[in-house]
Each structure stands twice: as structure tokens, then as C-alpha cells.
């Protein structure tokens, strides 16, 4: 929020936000997806099931997030495509899932069998598990043991269409190119299964009559994803052949026929790729033959790598037979001799590694933003040689420096106004999209050549989280908080900052502490009380370590931050029922929406209606519970003028959603708000102890931007100010007003000040002038008169609020005021 702008951007200026809008990126971000029909979240969560068989038929999931957790001895079939899958704490389960647009995250599960198609696969803290996989990127395992990977061969009705709906090509499968973050010396935590070990050896075909029409099969010849040997062939010293089929209506069918034909001659398929070849790659790949330029422009190619005795001649003959009999004039390329195959394969996979991943958007979390995704070792291997390595390192350095420049420039953007900041935010999002994708794609090389450390990856993720947070600030849309929470959660789950305590310089430790403070702010705004309290305890430990290790000058400042957070949380959760602290949410949700009459449109047509569009929330009390630049009354007020974020996110309050940034953002945002309209929240500015000039500037900007039939809400929480005039006639200025942060000594009320002491010694006429002086830094009712030209909703919380009760309606516009009691009622003492 703008009120704590300095916490996120280290800016010393007053913090605020701007008009709701969306940046103009080249590709839509996750929040820009079309609104879906109302969805019941319980239909997409399987929890605490035992000894059951569950079916989800085509059309039942339809691209939503799906969660499976705490299941025991269950068989689960999901014959539909999903946006992401999360599987936690399952034992002895057999799970089959259709194409997944984004990521599958398998955690804390034992003795399970999983068969699935996905863009990205990750597992952590699992053991004794079979995984039959078709995965576009490199599967990742961590803290897992005895994981067996097999190539998924599967077919059922609608599966091919579901591949397309999920944006997955059956020709990009890296099932065997695994990366283990916790590898063991002289051994492996995983193994690869051969062709004879198929998925339905471990659980039966579905027997429910409702599934009969699907015709489910794991027959290799019928599989949508062709069987590839992958890393099983890595060490085989046999002849290889590269076949490229250019974009054509018959290319897919020809490729499958070619695979079947070569199998009769004991030729094995190593791997396949499908991607677009750009013009700059044509010359290197095809030796400058210009006829291929027009062919690659038609669309993505299909590449096949074969292995076996006399592989080149066998493949040439098989392909020629197919072209003659079934696919005449199909444009193609095939290796002409075994001697040149190695170089052709190197170039083909090098270009594939640069092109395949560019099709998956980082910010569209469905397929890209895992905090630990790495490209396949096979895709990557040929890009890590010689000049290519140096270019990759240089490009990463350039992207990193450019991202820092753009991020630092965000603090200089105008803090009020509407359109000035949008293009800059768009460019910043774009560069971080490229940077995040680039470090994922070249993680292994950057670790080796650049010395990329985990805290550096965490810093990139942290800044992306800050971008999402500040997009919430600038647009007032609470669902952006979900995005920031996803990135911050991933940093914590992946322990990116775990080793910064060992560094000699304290700078990295300060970054870690600032990350904790930002994460707590986001959890506070999302009302995630449990994880917020965990973070406060962790921050307390981190501050103790920081002080003991470095004895820094700012130790008292960090202790003050911790005290502010603790006090804020305690005050915000005062309601205790049966000994349990209850968290209250002040945001608008479905249960709070009034039931409108059936003829509401007719009623509204006969009256002039106004909508709340611009809001200023001003906190100017000198002494109040606060955290950073957010007072408790500002915090509660900002929630009142916002809609509740997505319900699924709010319900996962135990932190179990801390998967990669990939899996979690779009998965949640794609679910609707239980029928709540997606109309933008009113735009708000948050001003903590602003001066009079700042209040007037921001109010004027909001007033200027009010649309037709738009209303301005002005909430002011401040100490009262009395003019001390003996004769009070003008309600506009004589009766006093509200104190602002005038940043100067109050010579009128501070009787012990040198100025007041001097006044007592002056002649009575001179003293009279001093005591009748009005403090020009405060807000008087008359200061708000110009804003009565448009609909105004005024809320004043002060011990001098009654001075605003005589506001005149000078311009005939709607005006509403809510004024607090000047004294706290005895009941509340």
C-alpha cells in the first residue's frame, strides 16, 4: 500500500497510489484472464479421502486448479485438463491426471503412482513413488528418494483436444531429463523405467460404466505422446539420425507413421521436439540453403531423433516410402550421413532450448513461474559451449542491470495522477518477465559460470512480489495481493535467503529482514493470521541473529519494527471467543451484499445514481497503534472500501499453498469470486501524517479524475485543532479544524515553548495578535468547500469533528458527512 511505500521502495517521500488501471504489456498477465462462471471450490479439492475411487470426466475440471491432499489408498482419475495440480500428504494412492497447463507439485507423499501430462513437474519430500510423465520442461525433485520416472503412453477420448486446450505439444517430452536439487554423492534419488514398465501395471483401467466411452488405453501405438527413450540412450554409442518435418497438415500423422515404421527395424526414438525456427537459425541449421526460409515461416516444425544400427539409411528409406505412398510433397529434412548428424543434433537442440520456453509466459503463471524450474539438460547441453556460454552470461548481466535500473526508477514515478506511471510499470514487468525466464532456462550454466547464488534468485522473486504489491497499490485490486503472496511464499518455501547469515557483509541480512517485513504486510492485508504470526516469530529470530553477528547501528530500528508489528497484530485481533482469537475481515464479500429488488434497473433508471470512485484515507493522529506508515484506523478503513480477494486463496490460511510462483497465481485468480462482480474497487490514496499541501494536492488530483456520476470519499483521522478565537462567527475557519503534520513547533498550544514565554512579556496588543492567529497548516471546513462541486462523502474521526457539521451545500451536489463523537462513550472505556 502507498502508506508503506518506503518499506518496499526505500523512498523517503510521502507514499500513495494512483488510478486503477492495467499496464500495457505485450502479453496479458494472469489477472487479465476472462471472468469464468461461478465455481464451487469444493468441486476441485479432494481432501481426507480413504479407500475410494474418484472419477472426474471431461468437462468437469475445464482448466481450473485442482487440489488433492491427505488421501489414503485412493484411486483418482481426472480425465480433463487443468490449470495446475497440487498433491500433498497422500499415501498409497494411484492418480491419473489429464494435461495440465501449468505445474504439478507433489509433496510429502509416500508409495504413490502418478501419471500425468504437464508443462512443469516438481516433487519435494516424497519417496517410493512411480511417476509416468509427459513434461514440456525438466522435471525437478528435491529431498525425495526412490522416485521412478517412466514415459507416459496414454490415450482416451478427447485427450488430443485437451493437449491443445492446455497449450501443450505432445512432441515436447522431457520425462527422463530430471534435475535433483538434493543429489547424493555417487548415487541418485531417482531411476528411469524402460518401455516394458507401463502405467497400468500399477493400477487398473477404470471400471465405472460412466468411463466406458473414454476407451482408455496405454497402448504405445495409440498414445498421443509417442514413447521416447530419452536419457536411457544417452551412453549408447550408436548411429543417430535427425528428421525434421516442416509445418504441414500431414506432418503429425507422417511423424507417427515414421516412428511405427522404424520400430520394425529395431530403430529407437530418442526424443522429439516441436518449435518454431526463426530466420536467424535457418542458415546455421541447414547450411545456408535458402529454400528452408519459406518453410520455417509456415509454423512450428516436428523434429525426431532416432538411434540404432544403420539408422540414417533405415530412416531415409522409411520416410521415402511414406512420402511416396501417403504424404507426397510433404516438406522435410533428414540427415544424409552419420558423419554430420552430431552437429545437426547439437544445433537443433540448441535452438529448441531457446524457442520452446519462450512460448510459456512468466507472468501468466499457468506454465512458467516456478521458483525452481530449470531447462532440460538435453536442451541446455549444447548452449553451454564456448561463445554461447559467454553470451548467455553477458545477456543475464545486461537483463539484471536493466531490471535494477527500471525498478529503482519506480520510486520516482508520480504518486498521484493516473496514466503517467502505466508505461513505465509495463516496461518493468516486461524486463522482469525476461529476466525470470532467462535465469530459469540457463540456471545450470549461470550457477557454473556466473556464480548465481540462491539469494540472488530470491531477490529477483522478491522484486517481482513487490511489483505485484505495488500494482495493488496503484489499482486498488486486492487479487494482486494473491500474486505478491505467491512469490513471497515461494521464497520462504525454497529458503532462498537461508545462507545469507554466513556472509561477511550485513547487507544481505538486511535484505532478508526487509523481505520478512514486506511478507508480513501482505499477509496482514490478506488476513492470513496464522502464517503472519509464524513470520513474526521468524523475524524475531532473524533480528537476534543479525544483531549478534554484526552489532549494527540500526538494531534499535529493527526492534522497533518488530514491536510495531506485534502490537498491531495483537490490537487487530482483540475478539476472543471461547479462548480462541478470531480474525475479523472488513472487506465486502458475497454474504454482505444486500439483496436487490427484482425491479432494480427500473428504480435506478428513475433516479440519479452515484458510484464511489476516488478515496483518500488520511491518518494524522499523533499517537496511535501503527505498523510502518499504516495506522490501525487506516488499515481497517482501507479494507471497508475493498472487495474480498478470491475466496480460495483466503481459505488456504495454513500456508499449504506455498508452491512455486508458477503454480499458485493464475490457478487461484482464474476462479471467480463466488458471483461477486469483478468491477474495479474504488481507487484510493493512503496518506500517513501528510502536510496540508500534500493533502490538498492529492485531493485535487482525485477530484479532477472523478468521472461523471462519480463520488469522492474523504476519510480523515486526526487530532482536533482549536483556533482559540474569543469571537467565533465564521464556521469555515473560526471554529478550528484538524491537525496535519505541519512539521513545526506549535507555538500556540505549547505554553512552555520559548515563543510563548516571549509572548507573555510583550504588550497586550501584541499578545492579542499572537493568540488570535490561525495555524495555516491545519485543515479547516472551509478548505473543503471547493470540493463540494462534485459529490462528496466526508468521514471525520476526531475530537473536534463537530466543526464540520455546518458544511454548506454551495453547489447543489450530493454531500454526506459522518462525524465521530468528540469524546469516547463511557461504554467503551
Amino acid at each position: 500500500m502507498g502508506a508503506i511505500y518506503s518499506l518496499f521502495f526505500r523512498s523517503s517521500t510521502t507514499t500513495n497510489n494512483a488510478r486503477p488501471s492495467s499496464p500495457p504489456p505485450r502479453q496479458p498477465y494472469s489477472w487479465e484472464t476472462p471472468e469464468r462462471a461461478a465455481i464451487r471450490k469444493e468441486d476441485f479439492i479432494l481432501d481426507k479421502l480413504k479407500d475410494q475411487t474418484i472419477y472426474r470426466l471431461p468437462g468437469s475440471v475445464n482448466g481450473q486448479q485442482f487440489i488433492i491432499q491427505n488421501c489414503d489408498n485412493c484411486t483418482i482419475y481426472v480425465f480433463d485438463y487443468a490449470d495446475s495440480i497440487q498433491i500433498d500428504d497422500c499415501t498409497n494412492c494411484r492418480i491419473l491426471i489429464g494435461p495440465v497447463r501449468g505445474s504439478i507439485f507433489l509433496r510429502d507423499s509416500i508409495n504413490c503412482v502418478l501419471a500425468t501430462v504437464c508443462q512443469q513437474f516438481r516433487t519435494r519430500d516424497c519417496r517410493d513413488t512411480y511417476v509416468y510423465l509427459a513434461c514440456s520442461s525438466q522435471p525437478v525433485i528435491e529431498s525425495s528418494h526412490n522416485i521412478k520416472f517412466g514415459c507416459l503412453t496414454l490415450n482416451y477420448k478427447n485427450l488430443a483436444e485437451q493437449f491443445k486446450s492446455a497449450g501443450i505439444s505432445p512432441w515436447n517430452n522431457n520425462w527422463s531429463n530430471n534435475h535433483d536439487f538434493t543429489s547424493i554423492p555417487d548415487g541418485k534419488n531417482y531411476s528411469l523405467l524402460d518401455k516394458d514398465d507401463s502405467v497400468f501395471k500399477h493400477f487398473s483401467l477404470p471400471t465405472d460404466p460412466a468411463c466406458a466411452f473414454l476407451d482408455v488405453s496405454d497402448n504405445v501405438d495409440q498414445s498421443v505422446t509417442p514413447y521416447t527413450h530419452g536419457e536411457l540412450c544417452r551412453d549408447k554409442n550408436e548411429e543417430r539420425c535427425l528428421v525434421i518435418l516442416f509445418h504441414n497438415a500431414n506432418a503429425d500423422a507422417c511423424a507417427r507413421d515414421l516412428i511405427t515404421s522404424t520400430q520394425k527395424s529395431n530403430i529407437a526414438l530418442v526424443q522429439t521436439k516441436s518449435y518454431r525456427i526463426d530466420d536467424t537459425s535457418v542458415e546455421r541449421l541447414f547450411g545456408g540453403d535458402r529454400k528452408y526460409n519459406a518453410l520455417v515461416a509456415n509454423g512450428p516444425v516436428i523434429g525426431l531423433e532416432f538411434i540404432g544400427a544403420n539408422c540414417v539409411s533405415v530412416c531415409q528409406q522409411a520416410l521415402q516410402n511414406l512420402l511416396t505412398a501417403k504424404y507426397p510433397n510433404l516438406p522435410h529434412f533428414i540427415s544424409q550421413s552419420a558423419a554430420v548428424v552430431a552437429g545437426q543434433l547439437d544445433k537443433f537442440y540448441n535452438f529448441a532450448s531457446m524457442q520452446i520456453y519462450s512460448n510459456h509466459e512468466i507472468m501468466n503463471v499457468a506454465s512458467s513461474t516456478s521458483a525452481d524450474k530449470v531447462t532440460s539438460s538435453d536442451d541446455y547441453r549444447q548452449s553451454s559451449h564456448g561463445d554461447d556460454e559467454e553470451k548467455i552470461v553477458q545477456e543475464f548481466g545486461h537483463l539484471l542491470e536493466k531490471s535494477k535500473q527500471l525498478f529503482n526508477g519506480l520510486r520516482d514515478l508520480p504518486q498521484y495522477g493516473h496514466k503517467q506511471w502505466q508505461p513505465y510499470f509495463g516496461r518493468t514487468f516486461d524486463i522482469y518477465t525476461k529476466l525470470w525466464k532467462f535465469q530459469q532456462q540457463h540456471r545450470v550454466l549461470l550457477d557454473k559460470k556466473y556464480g548465481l547464488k540462491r539469494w540472488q534468485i530470491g531477490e529477483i522473486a522478491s522484486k517481482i512480489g513487490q511489483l505485484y504489491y505495488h500494482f495493488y497499490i496503484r489499482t486498488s485490486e486486492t487479487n494482486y495481493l494473491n500474486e505478491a503472496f505467491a512469490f513471497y511464499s515461494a521464497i520462504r518455501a525454497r529458503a532462498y535467503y537461508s545462507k545469507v547469515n554466513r556472509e561477511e557483509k550485513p547487507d544481505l541480512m538486511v535484505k532478508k529482514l526487509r523481505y520478512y517485513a514486506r511478507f508480513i504486510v501482505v499477509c496482514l492485508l490478506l488476513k492470513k493470521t496464522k502464517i503472519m504470526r509464524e513470520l513474526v516469530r521468524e523475524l524475531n529470530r532473524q533480528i537476534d541473529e543479525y544483531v549478534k553477528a554484526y552489532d549494527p547501528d540500526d538494531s534499535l530500528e529493527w526492534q522497533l519494527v518488530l514491536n510495531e508489528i506485534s502490537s498491531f497484530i495483537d490490537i487487530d485481533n482483540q475478539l476472543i471467543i471461547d479462548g480462541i482469537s478470531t480474525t475479523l475481515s472488513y472487506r465486502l464479500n458475497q454474504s454482505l451484499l444486500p439483496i436487490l429488488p427484482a425491479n432494480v434497473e427500473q428504480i435506478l433508471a428513475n433516479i440519479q445514481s452515484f458510484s464511489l470512485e476516488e478515496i483518500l484515507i488520511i491518518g494524522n493522529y499523533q499517537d496511535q497503534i501503527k505498523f510502518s506508515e499504516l495506522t490501525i484506523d487506516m488499515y481497517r478503513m482501507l479494507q471497508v472500501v475493498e472487495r474480498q480477494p478470491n475466496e480460495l486463496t483466503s481459505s488456504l490460511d495454513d500456508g499449504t499453498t506455498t508452491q512455486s510462483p508458477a503454480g499458485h497465481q493464475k490457478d487461484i485468480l482464474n476462479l471467480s469470486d463466488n458471483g461477486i462482480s469483478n468491477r474495479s474497487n474504488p481507487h484510493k490514496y493512503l496518506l500517513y501524517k501528510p502536510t496540508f499541501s500534500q493533502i490538498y494536492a492529492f485531493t485535487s488530483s482525485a477530484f479532477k479524475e472523478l468521472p461523471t456520476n462519480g463520488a469522492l470519499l474523504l476519510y480523515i483521522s486526526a487530532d482536533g485543532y482549536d483556533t482559540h478565537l474569543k469571537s467565533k462567527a465564521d464556521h469555515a475557519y473560526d471554529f478550528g479544524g484538524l491537525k496535519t503534520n505541519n512539521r513545526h513547533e506549535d507555538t500556540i498550544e505549547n505554553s512552555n515553548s520559548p515563543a510563548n514565554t516571549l509572548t507573555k512579556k510583550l504588550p497586550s496588543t501584541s499578545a492579542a495578535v499572537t493568540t488570535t492567529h490561525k495555524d495555516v497548516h491545519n485543515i479547516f471546513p472551509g478548505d473543503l468547500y471547493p470540493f463540494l462541486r462534485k459529490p462528496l462523502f466526508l468521514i471525520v474521526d476526531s475530537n473536534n469533528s463537530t466543526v464540520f457539521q455546518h458544511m454548506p451545500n454551495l453547489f447543489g451536489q450530493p454531500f454526506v458527512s459522518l462525524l465521530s463523537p468528540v469524546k469516547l462513550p463511557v461504554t467503551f472505556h
Side-chain angles (χ1 to χ4, degrees):
M1 97 193 14
I4 39 184
Y5 194 90
S6 61
L7 179 60
F8 284 78
F9 280 152
R10 304 189 185 184
S11 174
S12 60
T13 57
T14 304
T15 58
N16 314 286
N17 32 1
R19 178 81 173 175
S21 182
S22 176
R26 296 191 186 95
Q27 300 290 339
Y29 295 131
S30 55
W31 60 81
E32 298 174 318
T33 52
E35 179 183 3
R36 296 174 183 258
I39 293 172
R40 299 192 315 158
K41 67 177 184 180
E42 55 267 27
D43 292 338
F44 304 93
I45 299 177
L46 301 180
D47 187 18
K48 298 178 182 177
L49 303 179
K50 185 174 182 179
D51 301 327
Q52 295 189 37
T53 300
I54 309 297
Y55 298 94
R56 290 290 187 270
L57 299 179
S60 60
V61 178
N62 199 29
Q64 297 294 338
Q65 178 192 20
F66 202 86
I67 296 174
I68 304 171
Q69 57 191 15
N70 305 309
C71 294
D72 182 20
N73 195 35
C74 291
T75 303
I76 300 169
Y77 302 92
V78 180
F79 294 114
D80 202 359
Y81 78 98
D83 200 56
S84 73
I85 300 291
Q86 187 173 305
I87 305 172
D88 290 317
D89 300 292
C90 291
T91 305
N92 302 320
C93 290
R94 297 150 298 280
I95 304 170
L96 186 149
I97 300 172
V100 180
R101 181 188 294 117
S103 63
I104 290 184
F105 201 5
L106 176 66
R107 298 182 294 192
D108 302 300
S109 297
I110 301 172
N111 196 31
C112 293
V113 180
L114 172 65
T116 189
V117 179
C118 60
Q119 293 277 14
Q120 178 198 355
F121 176 82
R122 296 180 61 209
T123 182
R124 190 176 72 220
D125 299 315
C126 298
R127 61 183 174 87
D128 303 326
T129 294
Y130 286 84
V131 179
Y132 291 88
L133 198 60
C135 185
S136 298
S137 61
Q138 181 181 25
V140 172
I141 70 172
E142 180 180 6
S143 303
S144 299
H145 178 65
N146 194 26
I147 310 298
K148 298 180 176 66
F149 286 94
C151 181
L152 178 67
T153 55
L154 179 69
N155 191 25
Y156 59 81
K157 187 177 180 180
N158 299 332
L159 178 57
E161 290 77 7
Q162 292 171 7
F163 265 87
K164 294 179 182 178
S165 298
I168 299 176
S169 170
W171 298 103
N172 292 322
N173 186 2
N174 294 285
W175 70 272
S176 64
N177 299 324
N178 303 282
H179 180 79
D180 186 358
F181 275 105
T182 51
S183 57
I184 56 179
D186 302 321
K188 283 188 175 182
N189 289 313
Y190 68 92
S191 58
L192 303 180
L193 303 173
D194 60 25
K195 192 174 183 178
D196 296 329
D197 200 331
S198 62
V199 61
F200 288 116
K201 277 190 173 183
H202 302 280
F203 62 98
S204 61
L205 289 166
T207 56
D208 193 291
C211 299
F213 77 100
L214 291 173
D215 194 21
V216 182
S217 169
D218 65 345
N219 187 297
V220 174
D221 296 330
Q222 298 176 354
S223 174
V224 175
T225 303
Y227 181 87
T228 55
H229 290 75
E231 294 295 298
L232 293 173
C233 293
R234 171 172 287 278
D235 298 326
K236 290 186 177 181
N237 188 20
E238 295 184 73
E239 186 176 306
R240 303 192 182 216
C241 179
L242 172 65
V243 178
I244 299 176
L245 303 178
F246 294 94
H247 188 72
N248 184 276
N250 295 321
D252 188 280
C254 181
R256 295 181 186 277
D257 286 346
L258 180 60
I259 294 170
T260 303
S261 177
T262 53
Q263 288 174 349
K264 299 174 183 178
S265 303
N266 294 322
I267 299 298
L269 181 65
V270 179
Q271 60 181 324
T272 64
K273 297 292 178 188
S274 177
Y275 69 97
R276 288 180 176 272
I277 300 178
D278 56 48
D279 291 337
T280 59
S281 304
V282 172
E283 183 174 353
R284 293 180 60 190
L285 185 57
F286 300 111
D289 193 334
R290 295 185 176 274
K291 71 177 182 181
Y292 294 109
N293 288 75
L295 295 176
V296 299
N298 294 330
V301 304
I302 296 176
L304 312 171
E305 178 187 356
F306 294 94
I307 188 173
N310 301 316
C311 183
V312 172
S313 61
V314 171
C315 290
Q316 288 177 345
Q317 185 60 50
L319 180 59
Q320 186 60 43
N321 293 339
L322 289 172
L323 295 176
T324 303
K326 298 178 63 175
Y327 309 107
N329 302 321
L330 177 67
H332 65 279
F333 170 89
I334 187 168
S335 302
Q336 296 303 306
S337 68
V340 299
V341 172
Q344 292 169 341
L345 288 171
D346 287 350
K347 294 172 184 176
F348 182 76
Y349 291 127
N350 182 27
F351 300 142
S353 67
M354 293 185 289
Q355 294 296 329
I356 291 175
Y357 293 97
S358 66
N359 296 330
H360 311 317
E361 267 198 277
I362 294 300
M363 309 307 287
N364 266 345
V365 219
S367 61
S368 54
T369 23
S370 166
D372 285 309
K373 185 172 94 176
V374 234
T375 57
S376 74
S377 59
D378 194 56
D379 285 341
Y380 165 75
R381 62 186 176 184
Q382 298 304 332
S383 63
S384 58
H385 296 287
D387 294 340
D388 289 338
E389 288 185 349
E390 185 64 26
K391 290 179 181 179
I392 289 172
V393 172
Q394 291 178 357
E395 178 66 14
F396 177 76
H398 168 74
L399 290 173
L400 190 61
E401 183 62 29
K402 184 66 175 177
S403 67
K404 290 179 179 178
Q405 294 175 0
L406 288 172
F407 189 87
N408 292 336
L410 292 173
R411 71 188 65 173
D412 299 323
L413 294 178
Q415 295 177 29
Y416 53 84
H418 289 167
K419 298 182 179 179
Q420 301 93 323
W421 56 272
Q422 295 180 30
Y424 196 95
F425 250 93
R427 291 196 299 272
T428 308
F429 265 111
D430 284 342
I431 199 67
Y432 273 96
T433 296
K434 295 177 182 177
L435 178 62
W436 187 257
K437 183 189 303 183
F438 196 85
Q439 65 85 19
Q440 288 175 335
Q441 182 177 348
H442 301 289
R443 177 76 59 82
V444 178
L445 174 62
L446 293 172
D447 287 346
K448 179 181 178 182
K449 296 293 184 180
Y450 184 84
L452 183 66
K453 295 181 173 59
R454 291 185 63 77
W455 67 261
Q456 291 176 300
I457 302 171
E459 187 176 18
I460 297 172
S462 178
K463 289 185 176 179
I464 295 175
Q466 291 177 61
L467 284 174
Y468 275 121
Y469 173 84
H470 279 281
F471 222 78
Y472 156 69
I473 296 304
R474 299 252 177 193
T475 62
S476 300
E477 287 309 307
T478 47
N479 278 338
Y480 298 169
L481 289 170
N482 293 330
E483 309 279 7
F485 177 81
F487 273 87
Y488 289 147
S489 297
I491 294 171
R492 182 172 179 242
R494 298 293 308 118
Y496 280 127
Y497 287 117
S498 60
K499 297 182 179 180
V500 300
N501 305 35
R502 306 173 188 176
E503 300 288 339
E504 295 182 1
K505 296 182 179 180
D507 299 358
L508 296 181
M509 192 64 183
V510 173
K511 289 182 178 181
K512 184 177 184 178
L513 297 179
R514 292 181 65 84
Y515 152 72
Y516 269 102
R518 296 182 188 115
F519 196 2
I520 291 171
V521 170
V522 172
C523 291
L524 185 69
L525 294 172
L526 287 173
K527 308 296 286 187
K528 293 184 177 293
T529 306
K530 181 177 180 179
I531 187 173
M532 180 169 56
R533 292 186 182 278
E534 292 175 1
L535 291 171
V536 171
R537 289 193 291 268
E538 291 177 19
L539 177 60
N540 190 9
R541 292 195 297 269
Q542 296 298 331
I543 291 175
D544 289 343
E545 291 183 18
Y546 174 57
V547 173
K548 291 177 182 178
Y550 303 107
D551 190 21
D553 295 334
D554 60 350
S555 57
L556 293 179
E557 295 178 19
W558 280 109
Q559 191 60 50
L560 178 62
V561 169
L562 184 64
N563 293 339
E564 283 189 353
I565 294 173
S566 302
S567 300
F568 199 104
I569 295 175
D570 291 340
I571 291 297
D572 188 45
N573 293 277
Q574 283 292 322
L575 184 61
I576 306 295
I577 300 177
D578 295 332
I580 301 174
S581 178
T582 301
T583 300
L584 297 178
S585 177
Y586 308 98
R587 290 188 173 97
L588 181 67
N589 57 41
Q590 184 69 19
S591 63
L592 298 178
L593 289 176
I595 300 176
L596 299 177
N599 60 339
V600 62
E601 294 185 1
Q602 182 180 355
I603 295 174
L604 294 177
N606 297 327
I607 63 174
Q608 186 178 8
S609 60
F610 298 90
S611 62
L612 196 60
E613 297 291 342
E614 295 285 338
I615 297 172
L616 277 85
I617 299 176
I618 300 170
N620 241 320
Y621 266 111
Q622 297 304 306
D623 298 312
Q624 196 175 62
I625 294 294
K626 71 179 186 69
F627 173 37
S628 185
E629 296 183 349
L630 180 67
T631 64
I632 192 73
D633 54 350
M634 294 173 65
Y635 167 67
R636 289 171 175 168
M637 189 64 194
L638 77 88
Q639 293 179 82
V640 171
V641 297
E642 293 178 344
R643 296 177 184 274
Q644 187 71 15
N646 182 278
E647 191 170 313
L648 177 60
T649 308
S650 301
S651 67
L652 299 176
D653 218 7
D654 59 354
T656 57
T657 60
T658 56
Q659 62 182 73
S660 66
H664 204 54
Q665 301 164 30
K666 184 177 179 182
D667 308 337
I668 290 175
L669 292 180
N670 269 351
L671 298 179
S672 74
D673 277 347
N674 253 350
I676 296 177
S677 167
N678 279 342
R679 184 183 68 81
S680 298
N681 287 327
H683 173 252
K684 61 185 177 298
Y685 295 107
L686 300 173
L687 304 179
Y688 174 70
K689 291 188 177 180
T691 63
F692 171 80
S693 59
Q694 289 171 330
I695 293 175
Y696 223 67
F698 281 88
T699 307
S700 299
S701 176
F703 178 86
K704 177 183 177 183
E705 299 296 339
L706 275 180
T708 306
N709 296 333
L712 170 67
L713 186 151
L714 182 59
Y715 172 87
I716 308 176
S717 174
D719 295 300
Y721 164 73
D722 192 338
T723 59
H724 298 283
L725 291 176
K726 295 181 179 179
S727 175
K728 298 182 179 180
D730 184 5
H731 284 286
Y733 291 98
D734 288 353
F735 285 78
L738 307 176
K739 288 185 178 181
T740 62
N741 188 8
N742 51 30
R743 308 182 194 281
H744 76 290
E745 292 183 359
D746 192 339
T747 59
I748 296 175
E749 293 196 358
N750 186 1
S751 59
N752 296 322
S753 68
N756 238 14
T757 304
L758 178 62
T759 300
K760 293 177 181 178
K761 299 178 181 180
L762 293 175
S764 59
T765 54
S766 185
V769 173
T770 303
T771 55
T772 58
H773 174 70
K774 299 186 184 75
D775 193 328
V776 297
H777 295 280
N778 295 319
I779 293 183
F780 297 88
D783 296 329
L784 303 182
Y785 288 178
F787 304 114
L788 297 175
R789 289 177 168 83
K790 292 184 180 180
L792 179 64
F793 190 167
L794 176 66
I795 303 177
V796 178
D797 184 359
S798 173
N799 58 359
N800 196 31
S801 59
T802 54
V803 299
F804 290 86
Q805 65 183 331
H806 300 292
M807 294 276 288
N809 192 341
L810 299 175
F811 302 97
Q813 291 292 323
F815 172 67
V816 177
S817 63
L818 297 179
L819 309 178
S820 70
V822 294
K823 295 182 179 179
L824 186 68
V826 178
T827 325
F828 294 105
H829 283 178

